Every structure is written in C-alpha cells, then in structure tokens.
Amino acid sequence: MSTRGVAILGSTGSIGTTALRVLARQRERFHVAALTAFANAALLEEQAAQTRAPYVGLVSPEGGVGSWARGASCLVEASTRDDVDIVLNAVVGSAGLDATLAALGAGKRVALANKETLVMGGELVARAARAGGGELVPVDSEHSAILQCLAGRSGGDVRRLVITASGGPFRDWSRERIERATVDDALQHPTWRMGRKITIDSATLANKALEVIEAHYLFGVPYERIEVVVHPQSVVHSFVEFVDGSVIAQMGVPSMELPVLYALTHPERVHDAGVPPYDPTELSPLTFERVRWEDFPALQLGVEAGRRGGAQPAVYNAANEQAVASFLDGRIPFGGISRAIASALEALRGAPGDTLDALRAADQAARAHVKEIAGC
Ligand code: NAD
Ligand code: MG
C-alpha cells in the first residue's frame, strides 16, 4: 500500500514538532513530503535528515542548506506539490493564508492548525475548498472535538456548539491584576505548552474568539448558537448539543497528538495512536464556569467582529497579532492588547472585506494602527 504524502508548514513549531512525533509512529500510512519553517535552520536540518523529506523550504534567507527553497513562496510551493496529499498548516498568523488557499485550490486536504487563516479569510477559504475540491479538517482540539461529536450529522441537527476554554493563567485574577500582568505571567499556561503567540492569546481569551469564528466557518453554525464555557482541566475538548437535547462531548488528556493525528486520518481511526490512556478518576473532578466577559474584553471584541463580518474579523486578527508582538516586546501593557484591538476595529469599521486584496489591505491597516499606538 502506498503511503500518503504530508507537507508540514511550520515544522519547527509546537504543532509542527508534535506532528513529526505523531508521524514517526505512522510510517505505514504517511510519509513526510515537505517541510517548511520561518527560521531555526538547525532544527529544520535535523528534521529534514530524519524524515528525508524531498522538499525543504526556509522563509528566512539565513542559514540552512543550499538545496533548500527560500522565501515566503515556499509555503505555497510545498502545499501544491504532486506528491503532497495532506497539508498540515501549522504556521502561526495570517502568513499561512496563501498556502491554505493554494492547497485547497489544488484539491488537497488541509489539516488546519493555523486558525488565523480562517479568521482572516473565512469566506474565501470556504470558496477555495468548494472550487478546488480540497477539504478542510481542523487540528485545533476544540474543533477536532466538535467534528468527532458531529460524526457526520449535518448542521440542521445541531442546536448549539459549546467550546471549552481553560480560562488561561488569569482565570481567577482580579481585573486590576490582569491589567498589570507581565510577559512571564502571561506565558505560564496552566494546561497546554504551545507557541508564544497562542499562549498570549489564551491569556487574553482572544484565542477563544478566534476559535468561535473558526467554528462558524468550519461547521456553518451561526454565532448565536456558538457558546464558550470555562473548563480549567482541559479534558472535555468541546460539546455539541443536538436538536433533541442530547449533548455529546469529546474527552481526553490534554495533548495535541490526537487532534493532529485525527486531522490526518479522519474519518478513520487508528489502533496505534500512542495516546496515553484516559483515567476518569485521575482527571477528576471536571468543573465548568461562566466566562468573565467583562474582565477579558478581547473575547467579546472578537465575537462581535465575527458577527459583523466583512473585514472586521481580519482587522481583529491582524490587530491582535500586532498587539501581542508589541506586548511581548514590552511596548504595551497586557491590558493594552484589548484596547489596541478595540481601537483598530473602530478605526476600520467600514473597511471592505469582499476580496483577498481588500482583506490584505485591512490586515495591513490594522497592523499600522496598532504600531502607532504602541509607538513602533
Ligand atoms: P509556534 O510559534 O510554536 O510555531 C510556528 C511555526 O510557524 C514555526 O515553525 C515557525 O518557523 C513558522 N512560522 C512563523 N512565522 C512564519 C511566517 N511568517 N511564515 C512562515 N512560517 C512561519 O506556533 P504553534 O504553537 O505551533 O502554533 C501554530 C498554529 O497552530 C497557530 O495558528 C496556533 O494558533 C495553532 N494552534 C496551536 C496549538 C498548540 O498547541 N501549539 C493548538 C491549537 C492551535
Ligand atoms: Mg484550541
């Protein structure tokens, strides 16, 4: 039996390295056909040697091996190769959008970790999938959970999606203390080890707003039927409530290995997943709390941007990316992230978002707006 070729975009990151661990146990089903990274040429070189990937791309011009492809175009190149069946998009930020569009247009399966792609260009991505025959399968644990709970049922059977949120490191902090949180405080996620950007998003709860928008586009469920509940143990990965009142949850130890593997094998399941067994008594008790909407304004702003549509989700995403970078650089306080996002959304209220060019312009304008606030 021939194995399926996987391109890993962002192979040196948290999801990328998790995927390589998962794929090392799945050699009978998959081979690594392409690897790309932004920098960290030393790790990429190690990965290239271990996987013998025929295509290796490095965005940064510095370091690495002479035969590698260079520059931002390597993401699209890797995604559209004939020997690639599945593109695992594990790039962080809106830089992953072109590759998602190109892969879907070329009829590939896109295993999507790069949620910013769907937030920025949800309609365009859905259109590219329809036109090119490609397929979008989520890697995000909450959306993988929803996909598994749906088990092929259509949106018409769904009453509500309930997305769980760990609540992040500031779940039980006062609003005043959150305002002054340091970079070190914000990088201490209680249940997940992830890249820096998503870790900060998990502290502001902007990550949950991105996930609400992601769920809207992936499953076609209107915003008023998507809810968020805080679940500090991160064991229930999300719930689906059906029209008859039945509620189905998908559970497991907090690990990205299973969602990454499932995005590759969906709808099949494999025997040798290597996922640690789930012991309900050990992970007990499971608790659920209401979201403190007023103390985590980035969540509300994102959901509202999603509801408004047009360029607003792209503005939200870009403003958040820039504000997180400015916070990590020490230019704005933690509380300044949501204020910068709110200001960008307000300034770009009427910006059009019906074409890729319009979305890119909105993305750039939002970044420029936040840079000015941050004094960059
Ligand atoms: P990370 O920062 O650890 O890794 C990002 C990867 O993308 C790296 O390989 C980096 O070299 C590459 N990259 C960064 N900027 C790039 C650019 N401009 N062009 C090309 N490549 C670039 O991030 P991560 O935590 O692995 O997250 C990746 C994506 O997956 C994000 O969208 C995140 O929201 C999503 N996600 C992550 C987790 C997790 O557990 N880490 C869970 C769910 C979803
Ligand atoms: Mg998630």
Side-chain angles (χ1 to χ4, degrees):
M1 203 178 76
S2 71
T3 60
R4 306 187 79 200
V6 182
I8 306 179
L9 312 182
S11 65
T12 56
S14 161
I15 292 288
T17 50
T18 300
L20 284 167
R21 245 185 355 260
V22 166
L23 286 166
R25 295 196 291 262
Q26 301 293 332
R27 293 221 172 88
E28 280 152 37
R29 296 184 181 87
F30 303 103
H31 65 272
V32 177
L35 294 169
T36 78
F38 186 79
N40 202 344
L43 177 57
L44 186 61
E45 198 168 340
E46 217 176 275
Q47 295 177 339
Q50 263 161 23
T51 59
R52 304 214 187 104
Y55 181 96
V56 182
L58 183 66
V59 174
S60 158
E62 275 140 52
V65 171
S67 62
W68 291 359
R70 298 288 164 154
S73 60
C74 69
L75 272 65
V76 169
E77 257 172 48
S79 305
T80 51
R81 285 168 60 85
D82 285 346
D83 60 351
V84 167
D85 302 294
I86 303 175
V87 176
L88 174 67
N89 189 342
V91 167
V92 58
S94 60
L97 179 62
D98 287 351
T100 294
L101 291 171
L104 291 171
K108 315 286 189 195
R109 167 177 293 197
V110 176
L112 188 73
N114 179 220
K115 63 191 89 181
E116 295 91 346
T117 284
L118 259 190
V119 173
M120 181 179 175
E123 303 284 351
L124 294 180
V125 171
R127 219 179 297 154
R130 280 196 300 274
E135 179 193 19
L136 204 54
V137 184
V139 167
D140 220 344
S141 57
E142 295 78 1
H143 305 74
S144 177
I146 292 168
L147 182 68
Q148 294 178 60
C149 293
L150 285 171
R153 307 302 300 185
S154 77
D157 290 344
V158 174
R159 184 184 288 162
R160 264 188 327 153
L161 305 180
V162 183
I163 299 180
T164 52
S166 72
F170 308 143
R171 180 175 61 87
D172 53 8
W173 285 31
S174 70
R175 189 200 292 221
E176 295 69 34
R177 198 171 160 211
I178 295 171
E179 165 69 33
R180 297 186 310 269
T182 66
V183 169
D184 280 349
D185 293 333
L187 286 174
Q188 300 301 320
H189 196 277
T191 48
W192 299 99
R193 292 283 150 270
M194 312 178 285
R196 283 157 67 89
K197 193 263 179 179
I198 185 176
T199 303
I200 303 299
D201 287 352
S202 301
T204 59
L205 297 197
N207 183 50
K208 261 334 114 173
L210 299 176
E211 291 186 354
V212 166
I213 299 172
E214 187 186 5
H216 169 75
Y217 285 115
L218 282 171
F219 305 111
V221 174
Y223 286 105
E224 57 274 19
R225 295 203 271 122
I226 306 176
E227 291 177 19
V228 178
V229 68
V230 173
H231 168 46
Q233 297 83 17
S234 302
V235 169
V236 173
H237 299 312
S238 279
F239 302 93
V240 175
E241 183 181 292
F242 290 91
V243 284
D244 60 1
S246 177
V247 180
I248 301 201
Q250 190 265 339
M251 303 162 77
V253 291
S255 157
M256 286 310 292
E257 291 196 6
L258 188 59
V260 166
L261 176 62
Y262 188 72
L264 304 176
T265 65
H266 167 78
E268 310 294 332
R269 294 187 180 274
V270 298
H271 290 277
D272 46 355
V275 168
Y278 170 54
D279 179 347
T281 58
E282 202 170 300
L283 294 173
S284 173
L286 301 182
T287 59
F288 300 93
E289 302 165 10
R290 280 181 206 292
V291 174
R292 291 165 51 199
W293 291 91
E294 59 293 349
D295 298 328
F296 294 91
L299 174 55
Q300 183 82 45
L301 287 166
V303 175
E304 279 167 11
R307 282 176 192 263
R308 274 192 223 110
Q312 287 274 295
V315 168
Y316 176 81
N317 177 62
N320 179 53
E321 283 188 30
Q322 186 56 52
V324 169
S326 300
F327 169 67
L328 287 170
D329 285 349
R331 289 176 180 274
I332 59 173
F334 187 80
I337 298 175
S338 60
R339 286 193 290 277
I341 298 170
S343 172
L345 285 168
E346 196 51 44
L348 292 158
R349 257 303 173 94
D354 46 345
T355 63
L356 190 52
D357 284 347
L359 290 173
R360 278 196 220 290
D363 175 291
Q364 290 305 315
R367 284 172 204 270
H369 186 90
V370 174
K371 276 186 184 164
E372 204 173 309
I373 292 174
C376 305

